[in-house]
Amino acid sequence: MNAPRPRDVEIPRLLHVGHGSLREVGTLLADHAFDLGHVLVGCGPGPSRALAEGVVDDLRAQGVRVRLHSHLSGRLDQAAALAGEIIEEQVTVAVAVGGGRVIDTVKLAAARTGVDFVSVPTTISNDGISSPVASLAGRDGARASHAARMPGGIVLDISAISSAPAETLRAGVGDLVSNLTACLDWRLAAEGGHERYDAFPAMIAESAARPALELTEVTSPASQELVAHGLLLSGLAMAAAGTSRPCSGAEHLVSHALDSRLAGGAALHGEQVALGTLVAAAAHRSPLLVPLQELFRRLGLPTCPEDLGLTRAQLATAMQAAPGLRPDRWTILTDRCARPGDAEELVAEAFPPAHSPVRQFAR
Ligand SMILES: [Zn+2]
């Protein structure tokens, strides 16, 4: 009979967070025994391109053979094409330099071809920078999550992060604090017998998120490092759990329901998740609701549906649809949005009209 063994968790063998670390990617990869036989660097067509080109130049200066892909935008067909190229050109390491869309495209291509993947985020707007999950848009434009693998390496340049638009950092905070409501859902799901609770990943996810509740700004390097560390740990929590559960509950389902409703007008993932986090905290009748509202007000994250250009009725419709998007994942909304009229009632509870004067959402 086999004795129970501790679980295996994939932890990146290279983690480097620093100022100006984009210039050190080549050296770091060589020092951490990545096979630099043929490196693929992926980026988007926007501002990350210049940063990726710097990484390519440094690698070439070290005598490394490199190919650059500069048009990645988070589409499933791009990941498939990239996977084909990785096989055909015998790529040994795939490096993503950019935001979440670039990272997820390269992450999935690398995972499906079994080559090493290195995440070099230039924005920290969500926890995909270190997670084993890739969220990509299919042929119909709808985004869906795909199982991938943890990056083998993560190189995070605080200087690059701080020059990214402020809303990306705020969105990162939104995605980070959503761990708190996600774990409330997880525990309740376990109490109801819907799922098994796993205390270690939940502890990592909650400990990663809690310091963010105290943030008063996202412009100082110290705050940016706090958010970066929190999001990196969130990825680790998902890897340890083997599911996105510790970082994704009702608030994420609300955000996914908004994705399909807002289509081209969708806000950043972390901004939508922030609104969903308020809904979830209210649904749980959690004391977290007040500190979350205060945090979002301080940072300029949405504190009511109007801040995202939504009416209360539109948000209620999204909340009603949310549980059906993922019936296998029990959340508080499974219970609290079960009957017609429930969602409207919950919206009124979460966003009392007297406390939500019309404000300009700082973007
Ligand atoms: Zn998220």
Side-chain angles (χ1 to χ4, degrees):
M1 202 174 83
N2 291 331
R5 292 192 320 123
R7 74 185 94 195
D8 293 320
V9 180
E10 269 193 271
I11 296 178
R13 66 180 185 275
L14 158 63
L15 170 63
H16 186 88
V17 181
H19 293 265
S21 28
L22 267 167
R23 303 309 306 253
E24 298 169 57
V25 173
T27 321
L28 287 165
L29 294 187
D31 286 353
H32 288 77
F34 283 84
D35 177 355
L36 299 180
H38 190 183
V39 177
L40 181 144
V41 175
C43 67
S48 69
R49 182 174 180 152
L51 301 174
E53 281 169 350
V55 171
V56 169
D57 290 346
D58 288 346
L59 283 163
R60 285 190 179 141
Q62 288 179 44
V64 177
R65 188 174 160 221
V66 192
R67 53 200 307 117
L68 174 69
H69 263 279
S70 58
H71 58 274
L72 305 177
S73 59
R75 295 201 331 252
L76 199 51
D77 61 343
Q78 292 174 332
L82 219 49
E85 192 176 323
I86 287 171
I87 296 166
E88 213 171 324
E89 299 296 332
Q90 300 184 348
V91 166
T92 51
V93 183
V95 181
V97 182
R101 291 178 180 201
V102 171
I103 287 173
D104 284 7
T105 312
V106 183
K107 190 196 283 178
L108 187 62
R112 295 298 159 87
T113 50
V115 299
D116 249 332
F117 169 62
V118 179
S119 166
V120 185
T122 55
T123 64
I124 45 169
S125 57
N126 64 63
D127 56 28
I129 54 175
S130 79
S131 76
V133 183
S135 166
L136 294 169
R139 224 167 272 146
D140 56 355
R143 302 188 78 76
S145 293
H146 302 269
R149 265 183 63 194
M150 276 299 270
I154 302 169
V155 179
L156 203 149
D157 189 337
I158 297 288
S159 319
I161 301 303
S162 58
S163 52
E167 68 251 34
T168 60
L169 281 153
R170 282 200 290 260
V173 176
D175 206 26
L176 177 55
V177 294
S178 77
N179 295 2
L180 299 171
T181 48
C183 288
L184 288 181
D185 275 328
W186 198 4
R187 274 192 283 274
L188 211 55
E191 277 168 29
H194 307 285
E195 201 169 330
R196 202 175 66 83
Y197 177 66
D198 192 342
F200 234 108
M203 186 177 72
I204 298 171
E206 289 181 313
S207 307
R210 220 163 260 286
L213 288 175
E214 308 299 326
L215 284 171
T216 54
E217 42 77 30
V218 286
T219 48
S220 69
S223 311
Q224 289 158 3
E225 236 165 283
L226 185 148
V227 178
H229 287 171
L231 293 171
L232 291 168
L233 284 172
S234 300
L236 192 60
M238 289 188 255
T243 141
S244 60
R245 210 18 152 157
C247 306
S248 172
E251 72 300 317
H252 271 72
L253 293 179
V254 170
S255 172
H256 296 324
L258 289 174
D259 278 339
S260 52
R261 278 165 180 77
L262 295 169
L268 286 174
H269 168 77
E271 295 175 327
Q272 294 180 187
V273 166
L275 187 69
T277 301
L278 296 180
V279 169
H284 278 281
R285 300 197 170 95
S286 163
L288 279 168
L289 182 59
V290 174
L292 284 168
Q293 282 167 330
E294 286 169 358
L295 171 72
F296 294 174
R297 200 164 288 129
R298 289 196 299 274
L299 300 189
L301 279 165
T303 55
C304 60
E306 291 81 359
D307 284 342
L308 287 184
L310 290 164
T311 64
R312 275 145 205 265
Q314 282 172 319
L315 176 61
T317 312
M319 285 157 56
Q320 198 83 53
L325 293 179
R326 196 158 178 189
D328 60 314
R329 179 158 290 183
W330 190 97
T331 75
I332 189 71
L333 295 184
T334 316
D335 248 11
R336 294 215 55 197
C337 286
R339 291 174 304 274
D342 278 359
E344 286 77 5
E345 220 168 274
L346 184 52
V347 169
E349 218 174 287
F351 310 103
H355 296 288
S356 53
V358 177
R359 288 181 304 107
Q360 199 60 43
F361 176 41
R363 288 192 66 100

